[in-house]
Structure formats: C-alpha cells, structure tokens
Amino acid sequence: MHISHNEDSNLKQLLSFSITAIKASCGNFDIYGEKDTDIRAKELVFERTRYAYNDALEYFEDNFLSDITSLGLSLMPEVKDDGSI
C-alpha cells in the first residue's frame, strides 16, 4: 500500500472495520497479542484492509475462506466434559 499522510485516518478506519469484521466472523482475539491465534487474526485483518483499500472487499471472504474457518475453529472456547466452557 502506498500511504500518505492524507490517507492515515482512512487506513485507521479501514483497520478498525476489519478488526470488527474478523472478530464477528471468527471470535475474539487480541490485535496486539502474541499468541498464534492473535498473529493469524492480525494477518487476516491486514489482508481484509488491503482488499477494502483496493475496492475489492467482495473477493476477500472467498479468497481467505479456509483461513477464516481455521481461525474461527481455533478461537472456539473449549467445552469441558461436564458441558461447561
């Protein structure tokens, strides 16, 4: 991405929207975290933002479906034998 000072607020907004969208699709993560799931989620946020920036957001989900699904499964809370989370 070619970033200028004028686009800074636009990119921040796109990143914010992407964080919200990935959390809605996959589950909660820490964008600043260092766990494997946090790093994978951050990568998806960057990729979604890149698609949004380039006006191609409609292709993101199809192109990253396996990554989205995998992350979503990794972020699912574990259920204990007694049925509790």
Side-chain angles (χ1 to χ4, degrees), residues 10-78:
N10 182 44
L11 284 173
K12 286 180 181 179
Q13 186 177 35
L14 290 175
L15 284 165
S16 175
F17 292 161
S18 292
I19 291 169
T20 301
I22 298 299
K23 283 184 177 183
S25 294
C26 301
N28 199 26
F29 60 88
D30 180 3
I31 194 69
Y32 301 106
E34 295 298 324
K35 295 189 305 187
D36 176 62
T37 52
D38 296 332
I39 293 167
R40 289 170 45 209
K42 187 185 305 187
E43 181 180 359
L44 280 175
V45 166
F46 288 150
E47 291 295 344
R48 185 186 183 282
T49 301
R50 182 174 62 89
Y51 274 69
Y53 181 83
N54 289 302
D55 236 1
L57 196 51
E58 64 270 16
Y59 303 111
F60 171 76
E61 194 168 315
D62 288 340
N63 291 342
F64 288 90
L65 186 58
S66 63
D67 296 302
I68 294 167
T69 302
S70 174
L71 180 62
L73 290 172
S74 297
L75 290 173
M76 285 180 61
E78 292 184 28

Side-chain angles (χ1 to χ4, degrees), residues 76-85:
M76 285 180 61
E78 292 184 28
V79 178
K80 298 178 183 172
D81 290 336
D82 65 0
S84 64
I85 298 176

Side-chain angles (χ1 to χ4, degrees), residues 2-12 53:
H2 300 287
I3 301 170
S4 69
H5 294 292
N6 298 337
E7 296 178 349
D8 191 43
S9 63
N10 182 44
L11 284 173
K12 286 180 181 179
Y53 181 83

